[in-house]
Amino acid sequence: MNIKITQTDQSRISELDFNNLEFGRVFSDHMFEMVYRDGEWVEAEIKPYGPITFDPSLMALHYGQAIFEGMKAYYADEDTIHLFRPTDHHKRLNNSAKRLCMPEIEESVFMEALEKLLQLDYKWVPETHGHSLYIRPFMFASEEYIAATVSKEYRFYIITSPVAAYYKEGFNPVSLTTSDEYVRAAKGGTGEAKSAGNYGGSFLPARKAQQEGFTQVLWLDAKEHKYVEEVGTMNIFFLIGDTLITPQLAGTVLPGVTRRSVISLAKDWNLNVEERRISIDEVFEAHKNGSLKEIFGAGTAAVISPVGLIHHKGETVTLDREKIGPFAKKMFDAITGIQYGNIEDTHGWIHPVQISTAVLY
Ligand SMILES: Cc1ncc(COP(=O)(O)O)c(C=O)c1O
């Protein structure tokens, strides 16, 4: 695909305070944009980051055909940036697109757009270990038409944002509560797609959980309110005895890229890993009989997030609320070590992007 490149003549990089990065507030100089019209993707372009204009009848605003991805680029050395499992994110984007009746994107186009954008904005990838460039690809229905039907036009963008380490002063275990009132996803719904509406629907229960003093909701299944599913933007893992257990992917849970990485590494380390239904009662029972060793979430933002407390129907499971467990820490060190290139990548998860001097400002 021919990507037209228009470079900014006014880089904003000098305004950026790399020591005070707020997640998702500042965006790098350029963005990728592509238009879907008459059954094909056309007009691929990298241009200065800036506003986009639409009529109020933009279909995405009314009928919710909007999907996105979240991934990161890591500074490896002055010539190299590492993308972590970008083709897995691409596959998930296409799966989300299929579920929402939206057009897919070819892997080669997705990768070329990412590489060219990073080569242009490589200075925005923070060099400090733990910091990274968050990458947000997203697609939405762009036909201007008020009718509850499938849009004929779409836009696809990639924007990027430099972000600080998730844990600046040591790990901070999160506290979770189940909800007996709300669910995130039901079988047959859009739970396994990364669609914008899934997040909009989760905000009210999350706000209620926060008002009660918890960090986030631990979602249970929609039918029986019995089986654990996932957390706000993380998949969940339980280390019970010597077995690592995580809910199976059965249509309602987002198939996390970090989740897959955790499972692979745990298997490499000869740990018994089970992807299966796990009830909240089983978690509480394991806590009572002393076999529950660790609970942690896994997701792109934090990589590994220790869970210090789970509240369910007036009862609580409390683990060490001050620190991360040894297994979760080992997993965090292994994944981040691979991401920054300090640990050998034996799985082919790293996609290196070379900074070509030809495109420097
Ligand atoms: C609902 C939900 N579950 C799980 C995850 C973790 O997925 P990943 O590891 O691909 O970031 C995310 C984040 O994207 C999410 O939004």
Side-chain angles (χ1 to χ4, degrees):
M1 186 135 197
N2 186 24
I3 300 178
K4 181 181 163 200
I5 298 180
T6 310
Q7 278 187 238
T8 181
D9 49 17
Q10 277 194 317
S11 172
R12 290 174 282 105
I13 189 105
S14 61
E15 296 163 22
L16 187 64
D17 178 359
F18 275 102
N19 297 318
N20 282 301
L21 296 172
E22 196 187 341
F23 185 93
R25 289 269 183 215
V26 177
F27 299 94
S28 60
D29 282 331
H30 299 92
M31 63 184 184
F32 175 79
E33 180 189 62
M34 188 162 67
V35 178
Y36 184 85
R37 190 184 300 127
D38 299 329
E40 59 177 338
W41 286 108
V42 291
E43 292 170 33
E45 188 177 359
I46 289 174
K47 58 186 188 181
Y49 179 91
I52 51 177
T53 312
F54 289 100
D55 274 13
S57 58
L58 182 80
M59 285 185 89
L61 299 178
H62 301 269
Y63 309 111
Q65 274 183 295
I67 57 173
F68 66 98
E69 269 305 316
M71 54 193 283
K72 281 179 173 175
Y74 305 86
Y75 179 91
D77 60 47
E78 56 187 25
D79 299 317
T80 325
I81 290 165
H82 282 173
L83 283 167
F84 187 67
R85 309 191 73 167
T87 53
D88 292 83
H89 286 279
H90 165 261
K91 280 193 198 88
R92 189 169 67 188
L93 180 78
N94 274 352
N95 286 338
S96 300
K98 272 186 251 175
R99 179 61 183 85
L100 274 285
C101 253
M102 299 166 85
E104 293 176 50
I105 292 175
E106 270 180 38
E107 186 183 291
S108 59
V109 174
F110 182 85
M111 292 305 298
E112 190 184 341
L114 270 179
E115 287 191 17
K116 292 213 162 121
L117 191 60
L118 285 176
Q119 284 171 339
L120 210 53
D121 280 347
Y122 77 97
K123 285 184 185 162
W124 290 79
V125 183
E127 291 178 26
T128 310
H129 185 83
H131 296 210
S132 56
L133 187 73
Y134 183 80
I135 302 173
R136 168 57 57 90
F138 61 103
M139 190 198 298
F140 60 88
S142 58
E143 201 179 339
E144 292 163 341
Y145 179 39
I146 295 287
T149 182
V150 177
S151 173
K152 290 193 196 67
E153 291 180 16
Y154 297 86
R155 292 286 183 97
F156 174 68
Y157 290 87
I158 304 175
I159 57 175
T160 69
S161 172
V163 295
Y166 200 84
Y167 300 107
K168 288 186 205 89
E169 294 141 10
F171 291 93
N172 192 12
V174 294
S175 61
L176 308 176
T177 180
T178 60
S179 165
D180 51 15
E181 204 178 345
Y182 299 101
V183 296
R184 175 186 175 274
K187 273 234 158 75
T190 58
E192 69 182 342
K194 206 159 166 61
S195 57
N198 288 345
Y199 296 83
S202 73
F203 291 159
L204 177 65
R207 180 192 276 174
K208 288 194 172 179
Q210 279 150 19
Q211 283 164 350
E212 289 165 22
F214 304 100
T215 322
Q216 283 188 48
V217 177
L218 175 64
W219 298 110
L220 300 181
D221 76 281
K223 195 171 170 202
E224 296 178 72
H225 267 248
K226 187 173 166 191
Y227 297 100
V228 176
E229 300 242 302
E230 62 181 317
V231 191
T233 55
M234 297 190 297
N235 295 107
I236 188 135
F237 286 84
F238 302 92
L239 184 63
I240 298 181
D242 291 327
T243 302
L244 187 64
I245 305 168
T246 192
Q248 67 199 27
L249 302 176
T252 53
V253 170
L254 191 84
V257 174
T258 320
R259 175 188 181 277
R260 284 181 64 190
S261 310
V262 168
I263 292 171
S264 297
L265 289 176
K267 286 183 178 167
D268 287 354
W269 300 339
N270 291 322
L271 202 77
N272 183 27
V273 183
E274 294 178 1
E275 293 179 65
R276 61 165 170 87
R277 292 210 297 189
I278 175 164
S279 69
I280 187 72
D281 293 342
E282 182 180 341
V283 175
F284 274 68
E285 189 47 46
H287 183 55
K288 276 195 198 109
N289 71 28
S291 59
L292 178 64
K293 291 184 184 161
E294 294 185 31
I295 310 174
F296 60 89
T300 295
V303 184
I304 298 294
S305 183
V307 175
L309 179 149
I310 294 181
H311 172 266
H312 174 64
K313 290 190 176 154
E315 281 190 66
T316 53
V317 156
T318 310
L319 294 169
D320 192 335
R321 301 207 59 197
E322 300 303 317
K323 63 179 190 348
I324 186 167
F327 180 80
K329 177 70 168 64
K330 182 178 168 184
M331 190 57 81
F332 177 84
D333 289 343
I335 296 178
T336 53
I338 294 169
Q339 288 168 335
Y340 288 94
N342 304 323
I343 294 178
E344 193 192 349
D345 169 30
T346 56
H347 296 89
W349 291 339
I350 294 302
H351 180 94
V353 177
Q354 299 304 328
I355 306 309
S356 123
T357 44
V359 295
L360 303 189
Y361 295 111

